[in-house]
Amino acid sequence: MSLIVQKFGGSSVANIERIENVARKVMASREAGHDVVVVVSAMKGETDRLTDLAHAAAQTSTPRPRELDLLLSTGETVTIALLTMVLERLGAPARCYTGAQVRILTDSAFSKARIQDIDAEIIRDDLGSGRIVVVAGFQGVDENGSITTLGRGGSDTTAVALAAALEADECQIYTDVDGVYTTDPRVVPTARRLGQITFEEMLELASLGSKVLQIRAVEFAGKYQVPLRVLSSFEDGPGTLITMEGEDMQQGSMEEPLIAGIAFNRDEAKLTMIGVPDTPGIAAQILGPVSDANIEIDMIVQNISNDGLTDFTFTVNKSEYERALEILRRQADVLGAREVFGDSSIVKLSLVGVGMRSHAGVASLMFNALAAEGINIQMISTSEIKISVVIDEKYLELGTRALHKAFELDDKSGQTVTVEGEPANDQPM
Amino acid sequence: MSLIVQKFGGSSVANIERIENVARKVMASREAGHDVVVVVSAMKGETDRLTDLAHAAAQTSTPRPRELDLLLSTGETVTIALLTMVLERLGAPARCYTGAQVRILTDSAFSKARIQDIDAEIIRDDLGSGRIVVVAGFQGVDENGSITTLGRGGSDTTAVALAAALEADECQIYTDVDGVYTTDPRVVPTARRLGQITFEEMLELASLGSKVLQIRAVEFAGKYQVPLRVLSSFEDGPGTLITMEGEDMQQGSMEEPLIAGIAFNRDEAKLTMIGVPDTPGIAAQILGPVSDANIEIDMIVQNISNDGLTDFTFTVNKSEYERALEILRRQADVLGAREVFGDSSIVKLSLVGVGMRSHAGVASLMFNALAAEGINIQMISTSEIKISVVIDEKYLELGTRALHKAFELDDKSGQTVTVEGEPANDQPM
């Protein structure tokens, strides 16, 4: 008998029928002999409805955070009550708790609170009495008794934190997709579901734009070594297990794969300043004003200087492109740069895999595969388990497919993937 | 400077515009120099929406009470957050609390919990800091931390209980009507708003069917001697003050009025068993099976026996009429009664007034006034401050107007009343 924490998101509990579906999944796990704690989000659309009310009341896009968190927390509270009613109707003893009731203690940073402590005692008692325990995701309570929310992906974080506090055997995140894929199946129909992936790889994929899991939940799970599994709410299957590096591979492959997956991000734009004096501190002088304007910078590339001048390129989110360009033009005048230009028609392709640590030649294989298709690489950035390139956005599909094939990620079964249900995000992996 | 608790019901906070109206009323009291605690209900329609969800989830008309209470409590939580946002936007410092946060401790009788204790400390601190305090009505928390609700009219009860705990100078209940009337203005256009009424009278009126205030809130206010005022959410005016008997009358009339008001109740039906043996315990034998079936009995009249047989009449709610009749027919066989019949085309008219304690002749004036209109009285029942008669329902309007005139309750100004807004109940007084 093991203890499993299961998390279901907003579209999995969008109406009573879907809540029944969730209840049956939970009961199946219970009947398989597991203790089950269920974490649920607000019903799809509910958070938007409440947010609209808040904006109408506050007449600002930033309503008072303490009241906004209290307001939003009612969304998950509704879901836990309904799921518990359904479970009981279907014959499964259950009990539900809000974040405050189960005492998910957080700091007081409303709308992005961090969990500090969880009192797992109540839950353990209920599990001991044979009950399924249903907990509201996304919410907690600070030491003053004010309700807090955990921000984007907060329900995933709640599930992982509960799993850590309860020393659960597995934390299962049910989503609209049936696992983590080698790349977006809508771009590469032969994309393959990964049986297993490491926390590090998942973190890179999440930070590169995959929205199957929130970075924070993955970090949390990695830190507390909670085995995490991504599964589909709508169809059966083993999903993808996210686990520590070096653990035995589940699916019998004795060798670690070279590459776990290919991520892409269409949301970036590139800015370049050329002909700036190559003096110490120049990077800070160029990027300082951009950061000061709260514009997040992703990739940064500085070319080798040969005439005392240097060229400097970086990427920002597309929505910040115009603002960043304006700041950069002002700064070019200050620094006496030759020219400033930008390009928002780019895409970032990234290879991710812990295997590249111990394998040489990954980068050259990647560059060759792109070159073979006539795709020019505009920027390159690497980390220990990742290589990212910026290319013209028109080559997104072609480049992704070329890399998918070159690294032998295609599904060997010859089957192509159909993604059931509405995708939860722009870019499932 | 005094402390006022103000309660606004569901239709007063039905949308953001109305919530703004509430905020302005609250701020006007604040600007007049009072400390203000505001108690609000769920937005109109919200409790029904949540109840429908619960019924769909539980597929029964009686969903599990712990979860139902938790679910319903989200309705008021939404309102307090929105009202606080609006108050802050309009420049009034405010802070809101759920029942659990302000620690309205109740027993664990879900859906009809009784308040046991209120920790007024937090509220006092906020008031001391110059804040308006907004509290969710209708809800509390039991000693296990489970959310409870107080049942029908629960927000009124919350307001009165807070007023008692804070030793407030007045508890103001804002409703759809601008006070308590001598009778329903829709039946008697010359009905007069009462400036003042005693708790006892208000209790009788509430138990006779007036829904301006819930019995429980009036009882609570009487017990803790909290001055209670009924006011309109939608127009200005002094409303009606409900107060202890013997306090100085507000409006300068030195003499207590004979009659405070006339209530009527169309929801009753009458059942009669005639020719039953007049033996000790016969009432219990007739009524026992009716009570056992959880049918509430209101008036009971037993006629004088002259041939060893007696006739027995009582009233029940119309919705229970058929069921009660069936039980009574079976019981008639057991007891050997001559006949059982019933009548659901009746109405109960009641005169209420503490003045009748010290004035003789109220009953005869009442009976004469009805007789003068040719109205036959079918049953009579009296208490210390009330006389009720059952008459044919077709005489409801005629009888009410005749009594209103006979007891000089008509508005002397010659103005007739128009009830603004949607009536909150079937029978405002």
Side-chain angles (χ1 to χ4, degrees), chain A residues 221-251:
Chain A
K223 183 173 170 191
Y224 290 97
Q225 307 199 8
V226 175
L228 202 59
R229 190 182 291 276
V230 176
L231 298 138
S232 165
S233 297
F234 304 106
E235 42 184 316
D236 292 332
T240 299
L241 182 66
I242 298 134
T243 179
M244 302 306 286
E245 194 179 349
E247 286 178 23
D248 285 348
M249 288 285 139
Q250 261 198 336
Q251 309 215 319

Side-chain angles (χ1 to χ4, degrees), chain B residues 292-410:
Chain B
D292 291 348
N294 272 318
I295 297 173
E296 214 169 305
I297 295 161
D298 180 30
M299 293 172 79
I300 303 171
V301 172
Q302 188 176 357
N303 289 0
I304 296 159
S305 152
N306 56 9
D307 53 358
L309 295 177
T310 188
D311 302 339
F312 202 92
T313 300
F314 60 93
T315 62
V316 298
N317 193 287
K318 250 176 201 162
S319 64
E320 308 279 24
Y321 174 60
E322 295 295 342
R323 209 153 61 90
L325 198 60
E326 195 184 316
I327 292 167
L328 205 63
R329 284 199 174 117
R330 278 203 303 270
Q331 201 59 6
D333 290 344
V334 175
L335 300 173
R338 196 187 310 151
E339 199 182 345
V340 164
F341 54 84
D343 184 0
S344 63
S345 307
I346 59 160
V347 67
K348 182 171 74 171
L349 285 192
S350 304
L351 283 186
V352 173
V354 294
M356 67 176 74
R357 275 192 194 128
S358 48
H359 287 78
V362 171
S364 61
L365 180 52
M366 180 185 196
F367 302 155
N368 283 332
L370 294 174
E373 300 290 348
I375 299 171
N376 185 43
I377 296 171
Q378 303 176 12
M379 292 173 81
I380 299 171
S381 162
T382 62
S383 78
E384 203 187 7
I385 65 164
K386 178 198 72 181
I387 306 175
S388 296
V389 297
V390 166
I391 60 174
D392 190 317
E393 68 175 0
K394 71 183 175 191
Y395 294 127
L396 164 61
E397 287 80 7
L398 181 61
T400 305
R401 283 188 210 121
L403 295 178
H404 204 264
K405 192 153 195 291
F407 287 91
E408 298 176 359
L409 296 172
D410 288 357

Side-chain angles (χ1 to χ4, degrees), chain B residues 27-264:
Chain B
M27 288 169 72
S29 299
R30 187 81 193 77
E31 276 147 28
H34 305 300
D35 280 341
V36 187
V37 175
V38 194
V39 174
V40 285
S41 302
M43 295 166 83
K44 190 178 179 182
E46 185 62 6
T47 302
D48 287 345
R49 186 182 76 87
L50 293 168
T51 304
D52 289 349
L53 276 174
H55 289 169
Q59 287 187 7
T60 157
S61 57
T62 53
R64 286 169 48 85
R66 180 180 177 277
E67 283 70 38
L68 183 61
D69 279 13
L70 178 62
L71 183 71
L72 294 180
S73 75
T74 63
E76 291 77 29
T77 302
V78 167
T79 318
I80 58 170
L82 295 177
L83 175 57
T84 306
M85 288 176 186
V86 170
L87 283 166
E88 289 274 348
R89 167 173 39 106
L90 299 178
R95 206 169 172 85
C96 64
Y97 298 100
T98 64
Q101 286 178 326
V102 85
R103 204 154 168 80
I104 296 179
L105 185 71
T106 72
D107 60 23
S108 300
F110 295 108
S111 84
K112 50 178 191 294
R114 297 258 155 191
I115 295 175
Q116 292 180 329
D117 190 40
I118 293 182
D119 179 6
E121 203 53 45
I122 305 175
I123 297 180
R124 271 192 233 281
D125 286 352
D126 279 320
L127 293 174
S129 310
R131 291 197 188 97
I132 293 166
V133 179
V134 181
V135 179
F138 181 67
Q139 57 182 247
V141 61
D142 73 6
E143 59 181 2
N144 302 318
S146 293
I147 306 301
T148 56
T149 68
L150 310 179
R152 269 189 78 92
S155 291
D156 287 2
T157 306
T158 301
V160 171
L162 277 173
L166 291 163
E167 295 172 351
D169 297 278
E170 196 166 290
C171 179
Q172 302 179 339
I173 310 287
Y174 286 80
T175 73
D176 295 321
V177 293
D178 70 344
V180 179
Y181 274 73
T182 50
T183 194
D184 187 336
R186 286 170 302 183
V187 169
V188 183
T190 54
R192 188 163 46 83
R193 185 180 53 74
L194 296 161
Q196 199 156 337
I197 187 173
T198 69
F199 283 112
E200 285 172 288
E201 288 166 336
M202 193 64 230
L203 266 183
E204 283 287 2
L205 291 176
S207 66
L208 289 169
S210 167
K211 287 161 191 158
V212 172
L213 286 174
Q214 292 287 327
I215 293 178
R216 197 163 146 207
V218 179
E219 279 177 348
F220 213 105
K223 183 171 168 191
Y224 290 96
Q225 306 198 11
V226 175
L228 202 60
R229 190 181 291 276
V230 176
L231 299 136
S232 165
S233 299
F234 304 107
E235 41 184 318
D236 291 333
T240 299
L241 182 68
I242 298 133
T243 178
M244 303 305 287
E245 195 178 349
E247 289 179 23
D248 284 349
M249 286 287 141
Q250 260 199 334
Q251 310 215 317
S253 66
M254 296 300 292
E255 211 176 344
E256 279 193 2
L258 194 56
I259 295 300
I262 304 167
F264 53 81

Side-chain angles (χ1 to χ4, degrees), chain A residues 16 20 43 46 49-50 53-59 63-64 66-68 70-71 73-74 77-82 84-86 88-89 94-98 101 145-147, chain B residues 16 20 43 46 49-50 53-59 63-64 66-68 70-71 73-74 77-82 84-86 88-89 94-98 101 145-147:
Chain A
I16 299 293
E20 286 168 355
M43 295 166 82
E46 184 63 6
R49 186 183 75 87
L50 294 168
L53 276 173
H55 289 168
Q59 288 186 7
R64 283 167 51 83
R66 180 180 178 275
E67 284 69 38
L68 182 61
L70 178 64
L71 182 72
S73 76
T74 64
T77 303
V78 166
T79 318
I80 60 170
L82 295 176
T84 306
M85 289 176 186
V86 169
E88 290 276 346
R89 165 171 44 102
R95 207 168 172 84
C96 63
Y97 298 100
T98 64
Q101 286 177 327
S146 293
I147 306 302
Chain B
I16 299 292
E20 286 169 354
M43 295 166 83
E46 185 62 6
R49 186 182 76 87
L50 293 168
L53 276 174
H55 289 169
Q59 287 187 7
R64 286 169 48 85
R66 180 180 177 277
E67 283 70 38
L68 183 61
L70 178 62
L71 183 71
S73 75
T74 63
T77 302
V78 167
T79 318
I80 58 170
L82 295 177
T84 306
M85 288 176 186
V86 170
E88 289 274 348
R89 167 173 39 106
R95 206 169 172 85
C96 64
Y97 298 100
T98 64
Q101 286 178 326
S146 293
I147 306 301

